[in-house]
Amino acid sequence: MIIEEVVMNIRDLSPEELEKRHQEKVFMESEHLMKRIQRVETDHGRDMGIRLNNPRDLEAGDILYMDDENIIIIDVMSDDLIIISPRDMNEMGTIAHQLGNRHLPAQFEGDDMLVQYDYLVEELLEELEIPFKREDRKVERAFRHIGHSHD
Protein backbone atom coordinates (compact mmCIF):
# COMPACT_ATOMS: atom_id res chain seq x y z
CA MET A 1 0.00 0.00 0.00
CA ILE A 2 1.35 3.43 -0.98
CA ILE A 3 0.07 6.47 0.92
CA GLU A 4 0.17 9.68 -1.13
CA GLU A 5 -1.80 11.97 1.17
CA VAL A 6 -2.90 12.24 4.78
CA VAL A 7 -6.63 11.66 5.18
CA MET A 8 -7.01 13.92 8.25
CA ASN A 9 -5.88 14.02 11.86
CA ILE A 10 -7.68 12.12 14.62
CA ARG A 11 -8.41 15.40 16.42
CA ASP A 12 -10.78 16.12 13.49
CA LEU A 13 -12.59 12.79 13.95
CA SER A 14 -15.32 12.22 16.53
CA PRO A 15 -14.55 9.69 19.29
CA GLU A 16 -17.45 7.56 18.02
CA GLU A 17 -16.01 7.45 14.49
CA LEU A 18 -12.60 6.48 15.85
CA GLU A 19 -13.90 3.78 18.21
CA LYS A 20 -15.92 1.96 15.56
CA ARG A 21 -12.79 1.18 13.50
CA HIS A 22 -10.01 -1.35 14.02
CA GLN A 23 -6.93 0.75 14.81
CA GLU A 24 -3.39 0.15 13.61
CA LYS A 25 -0.52 2.46 14.44
CA VAL A 26 2.69 3.41 12.72
CA PHE A 27 5.23 4.31 15.41
CA MET A 28 7.71 6.91 14.14
CA GLU A 29 10.67 8.78 15.55
CA SER A 30 9.99 12.52 15.50
CA GLU A 31 12.81 13.15 13.01
CA HIS A 32 11.05 10.87 10.47
CA LEU A 33 7.98 13.10 10.48
CA MET A 34 9.79 15.38 8.01
CA LYS A 35 10.38 12.65 5.42
CA ARG A 36 8.05 12.75 2.41
CA ILE A 37 9.15 9.34 1.16
CA GLN A 38 9.68 6.38 3.48
CA ARG A 39 8.76 2.79 4.18
CA VAL A 40 6.99 1.99 7.45
CA GLU A 41 5.34 -0.92 9.21
CA THR A 42 2.22 -0.85 11.38
CA ASP A 43 2.04 -2.43 14.81
CA HIS A 44 0.11 -5.25 13.10
CA GLY A 45 2.96 -6.00 10.66
CA ARG A 46 1.50 -4.32 7.57
CA ASP A 47 4.16 -2.82 5.27
CA MET A 48 3.36 0.57 3.79
CA GLY A 49 5.09 3.12 1.65
CA ILE A 50 4.62 6.82 2.22
CA ARG A 51 5.16 9.10 -0.78
CA LEU A 52 3.38 12.35 -0.04
CA ASN A 53 2.29 14.42 -3.04
CA ASN A 54 2.23 17.63 -1.02
CA PRO A 55 5.34 18.80 0.83
CA ARG A 56 4.24 18.75 4.46
CA ASP A 57 5.50 17.29 7.70
CA LEU A 58 3.59 14.43 9.24
CA GLU A 59 2.15 14.90 12.74
CA ALA A 60 1.14 12.66 15.60
CA GLY A 61 -2.43 11.56 15.01
CA ASP A 62 -2.32 11.87 11.22
CA ILE A 63 -4.53 9.27 9.56
CA LEU A 64 -2.75 7.50 6.72
CA TYR A 65 -5.64 5.24 5.78
CA MET A 66 -9.30 4.96 6.75
CA ASP A 67 -12.28 2.97 5.54
CA ASP A 68 -15.51 1.96 7.27
CA GLU A 69 -13.76 -0.72 9.35
CA ASN A 70 -10.06 0.18 9.64
CA ILE A 71 -7.86 3.13 10.41
CA ILE A 72 -4.07 3.57 10.36
CA ILE A 73 -2.72 6.35 12.57
CA ILE A 74 0.73 7.85 13.13
CA ASP A 75 1.99 7.71 16.71
CA VAL A 76 5.28 9.37 17.65
CA MET A 77 7.88 7.70 19.84
CA SER A 78 9.16 9.56 22.88
CA ASP A 79 12.18 11.84 22.54
CA ASP A 80 14.85 12.53 25.16
CA LEU A 81 14.07 16.19 25.87
CA ILE A 82 15.14 19.08 28.03
CA ILE A 83 12.10 20.96 29.31
CA ILE A 84 13.17 24.53 30.05
CA SER A 85 10.96 26.53 32.43
CA PRO A 86 12.22 30.12 32.57
CA ARG A 87 10.94 32.11 35.54
CA ASP A 88 10.68 35.42 33.70
CA MET A 89 11.15 37.15 30.34
CA ASN A 90 14.82 37.85 31.07
CA GLU A 91 15.57 34.13 31.48
CA MET A 92 13.48 33.31 28.41
CA GLY A 93 15.33 35.91 26.34
CA THR A 94 18.71 34.75 27.62
CA ILE A 95 18.19 31.08 26.84
CA ALA A 96 16.39 31.77 23.55
CA HIS A 97 19.37 33.88 22.44
CA GLN A 98 21.87 31.20 23.50
CA LEU A 99 20.00 28.38 21.77
CA GLY A 100 19.38 30.52 18.70
CA ASN A 101 23.12 31.11 18.34
CA ARG A 102 23.54 27.32 18.29
CA HIS A 103 20.72 26.94 15.71
CA LEU A 104 18.93 24.44 17.95
CA PRO A 105 15.29 23.85 17.05
CA ALA A 106 12.80 24.32 19.88
CA GLN A 107 9.12 23.79 20.49
CA PHE A 108 6.88 25.47 23.01
CA GLU A 109 4.16 24.03 25.26
CA GLY A 110 2.57 26.61 27.51
CA ASP A 111 5.41 28.45 29.25
CA ASP A 112 7.93 25.66 28.61
CA MET A 113 10.55 25.45 25.87
CA LEU A 114 11.37 21.94 24.64
CA VAL A 115 14.69 21.03 23.01
CA GLN A 116 16.18 17.66 22.21
CA TYR A 117 18.66 16.54 24.85
CA ASP A 118 22.19 17.84 24.47
CA TYR A 119 24.70 17.71 27.32
CA LEU A 120 26.08 21.12 26.33
CA VAL A 121 22.62 22.68 26.70
CA GLU A 122 22.23 20.94 30.05
CA GLU A 123 25.56 22.42 31.22
CA LEU A 124 24.56 25.88 29.93
CA LEU A 125 21.25 25.79 31.81
CA GLU A 126 23.02 24.73 35.00
CA GLU A 127 25.57 27.54 34.57
CA LEU A 128 22.82 30.14 33.93
CA GLU A 129 20.70 28.66 36.77
CA ILE A 130 17.62 28.46 34.55
CA PRO A 131 15.13 25.81 35.73
CA PHE A 132 14.88 22.70 33.55
CA LYS A 133 14.24 19.00 33.71
CA ARG A 134 15.10 16.10 31.45
CA GLU A 135 12.35 13.69 30.42
CA ASP A 136 11.16 11.34 27.73
CA ARG A 137 8.15 12.92 26.08
CA LYS A 138 6.21 12.55 22.85
CA VAL A 139 6.04 15.60 20.60
CA GLU A 140 3.36 16.12 17.98
CA ARG A 141 5.65 17.66 15.36
CA ALA A 142 9.23 17.22 14.25
CA PHE A 143 11.96 19.48 15.53
CA ARG A 144 12.69 21.47 12.38
CA HIS A 145 15.96 23.26 11.78
CA ILE A 146 15.60 26.70 10.27
CA GLY A 147 17.88 27.20 7.29
CA HIS A 148 20.20 30.11 7.95
CA SER A 149 23.80 31.03 7.34
CA HIS A 150 25.99 33.78 8.71
CA ASP A 151 27.12 35.75 5.66
Side-chain angles (χ1 to χ4, degrees):
M1 177 185 306
I2 303 290
I3 304 300
E4 295 182 332
E5 63 183 41
V6 172
V7 176
M8 66 175 66
N9 194 286
I10 59 170
R11 67 178 164 263
D12 302 320
L13 197 62
S14 72
E16 297 80 29
E17 287 293 313
L18 182 61
E19 289 301 317
K20 75 179 190 179
R21 292 175 169 86
H22 172 260
Q23 296 180 32
E24 290 185 54
K25 292 188 177 182
V26 172
F27 290 97
M28 301 179 87
E29 294 180 20
S30 64
E31 64 193 41
H32 292 182
L33 296 172
M34 294 183 285
K35 292 175 142 185
R36 275 187 349 106
I37 299 172
Q38 58 187 306
R39 186 176 181 158
V40 297
E41 184 177 322
T42 70
D43 60 347
H44 289 66
R46 185 189 314 226
D47 280 327
M48 301 173 65
I50 298 175
R51 185 180 59 223
L52 298 178
N53 291 329
N54 297 323
R56 79 183 275 290
D57 289 350
L58 296 168
E59 294 183 14
D62 276 348
I63 299 171
L64 300 177
Y65 174 81
M66 181 172 69
D67 63 21
D68 291 338
E69 298 171 3
N70 300 292
I71 190 167
I72 300 174
I73 305 165
I74 291 178
D75 196 351
V76 180
M77 299 160 111
S78 295
D79 279 308
D80 187 6
L81 302 177
I82 296 177
I83 314 301
I84 305 168
S85 304
R87 292 172 287 233
D88 56 34
M89 285 297 288
N90 183 53
E91 284 185 351
M92 175 57 86
T94 299
I95 195 58
H97 177 74
Q98 292 285 334
L99 297 178
N101 279 341
R102 298 163 196 235
H103 301 282
L104 290 178
Q107 295 185 23
F108 298 88
E109 289 184 5
D111 293 334
D112 293 333
M113 176 187 285
L114 285 62
V115 295
Q116 291 176 310
Y117 178 77
D118 180 307
Y119 75 93
L120 294 173
V121 172
E122 184 176 44
E123 288 175 0
L124 175 66
L125 291 163
E126 288 171 349
E127 178 184 318
L128 296 172
E129 298 180 356
I130 296 175
F132 74 95
K133 62 185 173 187
R134 182 178 176 184
E135 71 180 47
D136 285 332
R137 185 188 289 190
K138 291 182 179 190
V139 294
E140 289 189 19
R141 289 174 294 287
F143 283 91
R144 180 168 283 289
H145 287 273
I146 305 292
H148 174 74
S149 63
H150 294 279
D151 295 327

